[in-house]
Amino acid sequence: MEKHTRKFNLPVVAILTGFAFMIGGLFKTFLELYLYLGTENNVFIVIWFGFLVQSAIGMAVLAFLLRRHYPFRKLWLAGTSAFALGILFPALLLKQFIYAILFFPGLLVGMFFRMLLNEQSKRESLLFMITLGFLICNIMVSTIQNDIPGAVWLLEHLGPSSVTILFHMVIDIVIGFFVALGVGLMIRRRNQESSV
């Protein structure tokens, strides 16, 4: 019973997970920038594999931080698999991955994550938070693509490659942050239900 009543600092877990997703995302970004081979199939393979590596690193950190509250292996496998499947279907459907429609893969990642955890407790917060994180990224992409003054200034002073790397880092932090929030809220609710 003591295990279920033990608390964890959700904001700290979310921030650390966000940075872990950012570090994993750097691998994905560099793949996109430097190993991009030009054909649609290669775009799909490079970006999907990059997302897979990113989620494996980010979910490993999240699972480690919450290991006293949830089985490490189960959380890591469910999260990494959810990202692999959630990114795969839109990429196959569209022949490549387009950041302008992040909401769709975000919804799929949340649904697969919720399904793969196979928990009895309700997991609406998990689906909602992951989808919300991707939706916020979707709005950010749309804002940058509309050539807002700040984006134009960054492009002029840093160059396209630097802006792309910086922008992807922010997106990856946001995604990791909201994934951690969703998992943390789900675990807290499960612990509350089990302590009643």
Side-chain angles (χ1 to χ4, degrees), residues 74-85:
K74 183 177 182 180
L75 185 57
W76 181 79
L77 280 174
T80 305
S81 301
F83 269 89
L85 294 170

Side-chain angles (χ1 to χ4, degrees), residues 143-157:
T143 304
I144 292 294
Q145 287 179 341
N146 288 331
D147 293 332
I148 59 169
V152 173
W153 184 89
L154 284 172
L155 283 168
E156 290 174 354
H157 289 81

Side-chain angles (χ1 to χ4, degrees), residues 4-5 8 19 38 77 86-87 117 138 140-141 143 167 172 180 182:
H4 293 299
T5 57
F8 57 90
F19 279 105
L77 280 174
I87 301 301
L117 283 176
N138 208 87
M140 289 167 55
V141 169
T143 304
F167 187 60
D172 295 333

Side-chain angles (χ1 to χ4, degrees), residues 6-120:
R6 197 177 290 148
K7 302 285 184 185
F8 57 90
N9 190 331
L10 185 53
V12 171
V13 169
I15 290 168
L16 290 175
T17 303
F19 279 105
F21 268 81
M22 181 199 74
I23 291 168
L26 286 173
F27 175 79
K28 170 174 58 69
T29 301
F30 287 125
L31 273 180
E32 292 175 38
L33 290 175
Y34 300 111
L35 298 181
Y36 180 85
L37 300 175
T39 67
E40 289 184 348
N41 289 333
N42 288 327
V43 171
F44 156 66
I45 291 168
V46 165
I47 295 177
W48 180 80
F49 181 69
F51 264 106
L52 185 61
V53 172
Q54 175 190 23
S55 61
I57 293 171
M59 287 307 305
V61 170
L62 178 59
F64 177 79
L65 293 172
L66 296 175
R67 68 194 181 283
R68 294 180 178 166
H69 307 274
Y70 204 90
F72 174 92
R73 183 181 170 89
K74 183 177 182 180
L75 185 57
W76 181 79
L77 280 174
T80 305
S81 301
F83 269 89
L85 294 170
I87 301 301
L88 177 65
F89 291 149
L92 285 174
L93 184 66
L94 300 166
K95 303 299 183 194
Q96 64 178 15
F97 189 80
I98 301 173
Y99 279 96
I101 51 170
L102 276 167
F103 175 77
F104 181 39
L107 181 63
L108 288 176
V109 168
M111 289 172 59
F112 281 120
F113 202 171
R114 194 170 68 161
M115 180 184 73
L116 290 167
L117 283 176
N118 195 25
E119 287 288 320
Q120 296 301 318

